[in-house]
Amino acid sequence: MPGPAPTGGGAAVPQPPKQGARRGTALERRLAAERHAATLRRLEKASGRLATNAIQRMDETLSWYRRMPPEHRSWIGLVAQAGIAAFTEWFRHPEAPQAMSTDVFGTAPRELTRAVTLRQTVEMIRISIQVVEEAIDELAAPGDEAGLREAVLVYARELAFATAQVYAQAAEARGAWDARLEALVVNSLLSGDADEGALSRAAALGWGSPDQVMVVMGSAPDGDSELVVEAIRRAARRARLHVLTGVLGNRLVVVVGGSMDPMHAARALIGQFAPGPVVVGPTVGDLLSATRSAQAASGALRACGAWPDAPRPVLADDLLPERALAGDQAARRQLVEEIYIPLEEAGSALLETLSVYLEQASSLEGAARMLFVHPNTVRYRLRRVTDVTGYTPSDVRSAFTLRIALALGRLDAPGDRR
């Protein structure tokens, strides 16, 4: 038969709780519930007074609140009342899941997130919580002060998260709208439909009035277009440039302002483009005139395949001959107006000398024999060609541009030139 239970050195045998202990625990729970109910009734009675005190405290301590129009202040008053009412409801059932952002901020219009900054909202919440904390001794039932104080701290934390969520959602919605608006402005510039409305939309996006505006265009990288646009904005901020940008199809289009050096501006942004050509449109004086820069850049991007060795980035004007061959009427006119007509007006000797020189494989002696002049005369006339046009006939690339300009000028009848 087993011996008596050991009295030392062995494991203690658990004993069932005494009946009195169970009754004590139940009594404590009942008393706590009664204190909670009493505190809740006091909160419900004092909620209006607490909201009024919070609004009065804001008016005394927040200068920006006093400067607000009456309509906005009335909305803030409703938010304060909703916040205290939501705390009362939360205190009633703290374990139940609740959409606090809807309870507190649902009474305010969406425009209020533009009128009141996140910092100002935090100041409003801090004052409201302080008003409730200062009244804890009055609001709590005897013995429930610690519980109410803890509840206020937990609710303040939850309200802070709800506030951040409201402003984050507003920022996301505003960002998505701004992106669509920005893409609309860029597309109107590219299509030639830009008007005063485009200027208003650009101003709403924060576009200033830079004196120098150009368009940079290339292939858009794969991936989320929003991330591409944000990367362009970061690069522009580092380079202190104004930009409007958008991904249109497979093209990344950036309207750049605030740079006197187009190539420098393009190099600051080029890392965000996909591999391939990147072209820079001509510099213009304002945003509405950027249509010309955008269309030149678009034509140059299409014609880049005809010049495999083009630099990256490259000016659209450096691709004038390729653009003209691709059917770009603006490029044809520019070549004729900037090269052929000035040479024609400078005298027939320059046109004739340049034509013969190009036909003789850029040989001074060969051109001199064909023209029955001294080679120095040919050399002098070619220097005059450079002075008039800005292109050097002895340079291979310039010679190609001059040859295309001569051909286009001969094809155009004088009466067709504008």
Side-chain angles (χ1 to χ4, degrees):
M1 293 184 64
T7 58
V13 177
Q15 300 294 324
K18 296 180 180 180
Q19 190 69 23
R22 286 198 296 269
R23 285 198 300 268
T25 303
L27 179 61
E28 290 174 358
R29 287 199 298 267
R30 182 171 62 81
L31 291 176
E34 290 177 355
R35 288 196 298 269
H36 185 274
T39 301
L40 180 61
R41 288 192 295 272
R42 295 187 179 193
L43 275 175
E44 291 173 341
K45 292 179 180 178
S47 59
R49 176 171 55 82
L50 291 173
T52 301
N53 292 343
I55 294 298
Q56 183 178 355
R57 182 80 60 85
M58 292 179 200
D59 189 64
E60 293 171 354
T61 60
L62 302 178
S63 58
W64 58 263
Y65 175 79
R66 293 192 297 270
R67 293 193 300 267
M68 295 186 78
E71 181 183 6
H72 289 166
R73 281 187 294 177
S74 65
W75 282 118
I76 290 175
L78 290 178
V79 171
Q81 292 175 7
I84 294 176
F87 170 66
T88 303
E89 188 61 30
W90 179 86
F91 187 75
R92 186 191 310 276
H93 302 292
E95 72 285 350
Q98 300 177 38
M100 190 175 298
S101 61
T102 303
D103 294 340
V104 177
F105 300 101
T107 58
R110 183 177 301 176
E111 292 77 7
L112 196 61
T113 58
R114 291 180 179 270
V116 181
T117 65
L118 177 59
R119 179 185 60 80
Q120 292 170 340
T121 304
V122 170
E123 290 179 350
M124 290 163 42
I125 294 174
R126 182 182 294 116
I127 287 176
S128 299
I129 295 298
Q130 286 175 351
V131 167
V132 176
E133 285 180 332
E134 291 170 2
I136 283 179
D137 292 338
E138 174 188 351
L139 296 172
D144 202 29
E145 293 84 359
L148 181 58
R149 184 171 288 105
E150 181 180 356
V152 170
L153 293 176
V154 173
Y155 180 79
R157 182 193 65 188
E158 297 298 325
L159 186 58
F161 285 131
T163 303
Q165 181 182 12
V166 167
Y167 275 84
Q169 291 173 343
E172 288 177 359
R174 188 160 57 245
W177 171 252
D178 288 350
R180 290 192 292 269
L181 193 64
E182 190 170 3
L184 182 63
V185 173
V186 173
N187 186 64
S188 67
L189 294 173
L190 193 59
S191 62
D193 297 331
D195 53 14
E196 294 297 328
L199 290 180
S200 300
R201 289 187 285 270
L205 293 167
W207 176 265
S209 300
D211 296 332
Q212 306 290 326
V213 181
M214 69 209 72
V215 174
V216 182
M217 190 178 302
S219 298
D222 296 332
D224 191 342
S225 60
E226 293 182 5
L227 297 179
V228 175
V229 169
E230 183 57 34
I232 287 287
R233 292 191 183 122
R234 287 198 301 270
R237 284 194 294 269
R238 287 195 296 268
R240 298 186 178 182
L241 299 171
H242 301 270
V243 294
L244 294 170
T245 185
V247 177
L248 306 179
N250 61 350
R251 290 181 298 179
L252 175 58
V253 183
V254 186
V255 183
V256 183
S259 175
M260 301 295 292
D261 185 348
M263 296 300 285
H264 175 75
R267 292 189 186 100
L269 306 174
I270 199 169
Q272 315 310 321
F273 288 84
V278 175
V279 297
V280 185
T283 301
V284 295
D286 53 51
L287 187 61
L288 284 183
S289 303
T291 290
R292 181 168 65 86
S293 182
Q295 292 175 346
S298 179
L301 191 61
R302 288 193 300 268
C304 257
W307 187 12
D309 297 328
R312 185 179 189 266
V314 60
L315 294 173
D317 284 355
D318 289 345
L319 283 151
L320 282 174
E322 288 80 7
R323 290 167 53 194
L325 292 173
D328 187 333
Q329 296 300 317
R332 291 172 63 98
R333 287 194 301 271
Q334 189 172 342
L335 285 170
V336 172
E337 292 172 358
E338 294 183 0
I339 297 177
Y340 188 85
I341 293 178
L343 288 175
E344 188 179 46
E345 293 175 348
S348 59
L350 292 187
L351 273 177
E352 182 184 15
T353 301
L354 176 60
S355 178
V356 171
Y357 175 77
L358 294 175
E359 293 297 332
Q360 294 300 312
S362 301
S363 170
L364 288 172
E365 292 76 11
R369 286 194 299 269
M370 291 292 295
L371 295 170
F372 302 102
V373 296
H374 194 275
N376 285 342
T377 302
V378 176
R379 185 177 289 108
Y380 167 76
R381 291 176 180 175
L382 293 180
R383 282 200 299 267
R384 288 279 296 131
V385 169
T386 301
D387 294 338
V388 170
T389 67
Y391 291 89
T392 303
S394 60
D395 176 75
V396 175
R397 180 68 191 173
S398 294
F400 175 62
T401 304
L402 291 167
R403 186 185 293 273
I404 297 297
L406 293 183
L408 293 173
R410 292 172 185 140
L411 288 172
D412 284 352
D416 296 335
R417 296 175 189 156
R418 297 179 181 177

